[in-house]
Amino acid sequence: MKSSVRVAIVGTGFSGLGLGIKLKEAGYNDFVILEQSDDIGGTWHENHYPGCACDVQSALYSFSFEQNPNWTRMYARQEEIKAYLKHCAEKYGLMDHIQLNTHVAGARFDERRHRWTVETCDAPALWDYMTQRNMVAGDALDRSDDALPTMSTIKADIVVSGMGGLSTPAYPSIEGLENFQGKQFHSQHWDHDYDFRGKRVAVIGTGASAIQFVPEVAKDAAHLDLYQRTAPWIVPKPDRPIRPLERALFKRFPQSLNAFRQSIYWSLEARVLGFVGDPRILKIGELQARRHIRNQIKDKTLRKKVTPDFHFGCKRVLISNNYYPALAQDNVDVLTDGIREVRANAIVERNGEERPVDCIIFGTGFKAQDPIPKGMVKGRGGQDLLEAWADGAEAYKGVTVTGFPNFFMLMGPNTGLGHSSMVYMIESQIQYVMDALKKMDRHGWQSVEVKPDAQSRYNASIHAKLGDSVWQSGCKSWYVNENGKNTTLWPGFTWQFRQQTRRFDARQYLCEPSAVSISAAAPAM
Ligand code: NAP
């Protein structure tokens, strides 16, 4: 393990790997990619529940510089996406830079040396420690506890977070949950050894993950109770296998694959007109979703239960062809009264009905509003990033934060999408970071920090646009924090974001010349 590097990247998802590839291409070899899991792939390694697949077409949900003619379906499944990421890491020579099973416990900026000190520890040892103390991911570590696994340090000029916003599972707080005697797990921690046959299963949540695994569990379970708090809008999924002939064509003529990718890109981009332009356009989607319910569910009571009561597009619009048919099965009940408490072997609904259960699956999503755990990133003056974000996360172009020099985020605040491929946004941010690095080297800057007024102006402008969007139309979603501030989504076309991130705009930054260049520039005495 290297003790000092130019760049330390956290995470081996699309962000971390994509940046690693671009660093290598530009001749930077002094970097490390730290990964807490035992394999690479980020969210596509962590999430492996049955039915897990991407809800953006794979021809677009992949790197522009490594287009894949071999996708077997329009919407690839988890295993295929993970294999694609592995292929990228191997092809571009990243494996020697990746350190698996390495948890980043903290990163502290050293103002005197203009460098970061990154603290790491053995991830499996940390999970054991946390399990013994009943802690969950994201909980702050007690540094005075002698039982805490030994920490190592890496010095890095630059730290880049590729941790993504949806990595820490969120669990509901339900009375009596601690007394439950059966099996329980979160969708991100799927237990494939658990046999659902003959079991009564409860699923809590009806979001993007749950609608993918519920049909799979319903195939095997004796009974499935689905606890729905809010019915999502769901439209048909235009999925199909990609035929061998099509794949051969993509391989032989890569331009055809690129043209296909472009056609998907522009058709998804058109949705922005509804999300942030004129919400009346979204009526078309709503009609399609209502028709989907009518086509797939005969029972009028069930139809009513699964029909959302908020504006189409306010929460993430989901796609599925097998979710409604699963709900219509005889062994599935959709329960909307809410949960009063959990007992040793049962869930009690608010209406007082006690329903026996062997296994509870939490499809309750992620802590999207706290993408980085408290105490993990400390900038100038020892300020904690989460304290800087007390009113909600914000950054300049989603990448840099005032008070945190030489710290860059990929998929930072307000870079998420409700309509297209995150990989496109990630590549835009990678371009920005790479340009920053090159300019730092060219001008001999040892640190760059975005100016507070640049960050404020930028955020004022995007929040003005967000104010008119469908996401602020009154529903409760993980896009928006408890104060009503949308900290997650980009309010515009993705090509507009790309234009903004094409170049590192150094004039918006405090650029600290390095000691060497100061002395070089100083007149001889
Ligand atoms: P999610 O969309 O946040 O859904 C969580 C579900 O749990 C919601 O139905 C929510 O209800 C419910 N819930 C949360 N707390 C609850 C509580 N205390 N009691 C009852 N119900 C509760 O989470 P997710 O399904 O894991 O998806 C998260 C995000 O991951 C997605 O939005 C998407 O961006 C991403 N994702 C992407 C894909 C893909 O294909 N690309 C697949 C899966 C996930 P409410 O709606 O009432 O809050």
Side-chain angles (χ1 to χ4, degrees):
M1 174 166 150
K2 279 180 139 184
S3 59
S4 174
V5 289
R6 178 90 170 105
V7 185
I9 303 169
V10 188
T12 59
F14 272 97
S15 300
L17 297 181
L19 179 60
I21 292 168
K22 290 294 153 188
L23 282 170
K24 283 210 92 150
E25 274 181 5
Y28 289 93
N29 277 303
D30 188 16
F31 68 93
V32 65
I33 313 182
L34 305 167
E35 170 57 61
Q36 61 181 348
S37 283
D38 57 358
D39 204 354
I40 67 168
T43 195
W44 297 107
H45 168 62
E46 297 294 336
N47 289 280
H48 42 75
Y49 55 78
C52 185
C54 187
D55 57 11
V56 175
Q57 291 94 325
S58 302
L60 184 62
Y61 192 84
S62 44
F63 290 124
S64 61
F65 52 82
E66 186 60 30
Q67 296 188 31
N68 178 14
N70 301 315
W71 294 117
T72 60
R73 302 193 67 79
M74 294 292 280
Y75 295 82
R77 298 196 173 126
Q78 175 261 339
E79 316 88 73
E80 208 174 347
I81 302 171
K82 187 179 158 184
Y84 166 79
L85 286 171
K86 247 196 163 145
H87 154 82
C88 292
E90 281 162 5
K91 175 172 172 181
Y92 291 91
L94 292 187
M95 295 313 279
D96 290 344
H97 294 266
I98 296 172
Q99 216 169 282
L100 298 174
N101 292 315
T102 306
H103 174 80
V104 173
R108 206 178 55 249
F109 187 66
D110 178 341
E111 284 176 68
R112 214 160 56 82
R113 294 188 173 79
H114 296 268
R115 302 191 84 189
W116 286 86
T117 302
V118 180
E119 249 185 337
T120 67
C121 68
D122 180 66
L126 184 69
W127 306 149
D128 287 346
Y129 166 88
M130 290 174 73
T131 310
Q132 281 160 18
R133 279 163 178 69
N134 275 330
M135 293 168 71
V136 292
D139 282 355
L141 300 175
D142 175 5
R143 297 315 182 95
S144 63
D145 187 345
D146 292 339
L148 200 64
T150 315
M151 297 285 164
S152 307
T153 57
I154 304 174
K155 305 280 182 195
D157 294 340
I158 288 159
V159 170
V160 183
S161 164
M163 290 194 289
L166 301 170
S167 52
T168 309
Y171 291 88
S173 105
I174 304 175
E175 199 184 317
L177 192 54
E178 66 285 3
N179 303 324
F180 184 60
Q181 301 288 309
K183 180 80 184 169
Q184 52 176 307
F185 51 83
H186 189 276
S187 61
Q188 184 168 269
H189 299 138
W190 201 271
D191 183 347
H192 292 275
D193 292 334
Y194 187 76
D195 187 356
F196 289 104
R197 284 173 300 179
K199 304 283 178 17
R200 290 188 65 92
V201 181
V203 172
I204 303 178
T206 52
S209 304
I211 68 148
Q212 293 184 334
F213 69 73
V214 160
E216 304 302 321
V217 176
K219 281 181 197 161
D220 290 336
H223 187 85
L224 192 155
D225 279 340
L226 178 60
Y227 290 89
Q228 171 189 280
R229 189 165 67 181
T230 314
W233 284 110
I234 302 176
V235 294
K237 182 175 185 174
D239 196 13
R240 66 167 176 83
I242 298 179
R243 290 178 280 272
L245 193 66
E246 291 172 295
R247 278 186 261 155
L249 179 80
F250 290 154
K251 218 176 267 178
R252 178 80 180 77
F253 302 105
Q255 315 88 308
S256 65
L257 178 56
N258 194 45
F260 183 49
R261 179 182 169 99
Q262 293 300 325
S263 69
I264 296 169
Y265 173 79
W266 288 108
S267 69
L268 296 185
E269 208 63 356
R271 297 183 187 175
V272 175
L273 297 169
F275 286 131
V276 292
D278 186 346
R280 283 174 302 182
I281 298 170
L282 296 172
K283 270 280 166 208
I284 302 164
E286 182 178 328
L287 290 173
Q288 190 189 21
R290 287 184 186 279
R291 198 179 324 121
H292 195 38
I293 294 174
R294 280 197 308 276
N295 288 344
Q296 295 206 306
I297 298 178
K298 300 250 169 330
D299 180 77
K300 288 212 167 116
T301 315
L302 183 57
R303 274 187 190 169
K304 196 157 180 265
K305 272 188 189 170
V306 300
T307 303
D309 58 1
F310 58 91
H311 285 285
F312 182 90
C314 185
K315 288 158 97 85
R316 191 178 175 92
V317 176
L318 309 182
I319 54 173
S320 175
N321 298 333
N322 60 356
Y323 177 67
Y324 289 142
L327 304 195
Q329 281 176 212
D330 290 342
N331 66 334
V332 177
D333 283 324
V334 179
L335 307 167
T336 54
D337 282 335
I339 298 174
R340 186 204 284 168
E341 65 169 299
V342 175
R343 293 186 183 154
N345 297 297
I347 289 181
V348 184
E349 287 184 272
R350 286 237 173 78
N351 61 17
E353 187 176 341
E354 179 173 316
R355 303 182 69 93
V357 57
D358 299 305
C359 172
I360 302 177
I361 307 174
F362 300 102
T364 41
F366 299 88
K367 291 186 179 171
Q369 291 298 330
D370 295 331
I372 290 179
K374 191 168 167 48
M376 182 172 174
V377 178
K378 294 193 181 236
R380 263 194 307 102
Q383 190 187 24
D384 191 295
L385 185 57
L386 273 208
E387 276 163 21
W389 285 349
D391 297 330
E394 65 171 50
Y396 180 65
K397 302 192 173 178
V399 184
T400 50
V401 184
T402 185
F404 296 81
N406 291 5
F407 176 68
F408 297 87
M409 279 174 292
L410 303 174
M411 291 179 75
N414 294 105
T415 62
L417 300 177
H419 74 282
S420 187
S421 169
M422 276 312 295
V423 182
Y424 184 92
M425 296 298 272
I426 289 168
E427 282 193 46
S428 301
Q429 292 164 81
I430 288 174
Q431 161 61 25
Y432 190 74
V433 174
M434 286 305 301
D435 198 43
L437 203 59
K438 287 176 192 163
K439 285 193 170 124
M440 286 175 80
D441 283 355
R442 196 177 316 138
H443 297 286
W445 299 326
Q446 56 185 334
S447 69
V448 291
E449 177 188 350
V450 67
K451 294 175 185 168
D453 56 329
Q455 185 173 311
S456 305
R457 273 197 312 273
Y458 175 80
N459 279 278
S461 105
I462 59 169
H463 285 287
K465 287 186 196 138
L466 280 163
D468 295 332
S469 72
V470 67
W471 306 305
Q472 307 293 121
S473 63
C475 71
K476 195 169 169 295
S477 77
W478 62 259
Y479 295 157
V480 176
N481 74 6
E482 69 245 24
N483 305 322
K485 178 176 173 179
N486 187 325
T487 62
T488 54
L489 292 186
W490 165 249
F493 295 103
T494 59
W495 51 265
Q496 291 172 314
F497 185 72
R498 179 147 297 186
Q499 276 179 340
Q500 289 194 11
T501 47
R502 201 168 289 283
R503 285 194 184 77
F504 178 72
D505 38 357
R507 272 182 304 175
Q508 307 302 335
Y509 285 77
L510 299 163
C511 303
E512 187 73 33
S514 74
V516 177
S517 58
I518 291 170
S519 56
M525 299 293 284

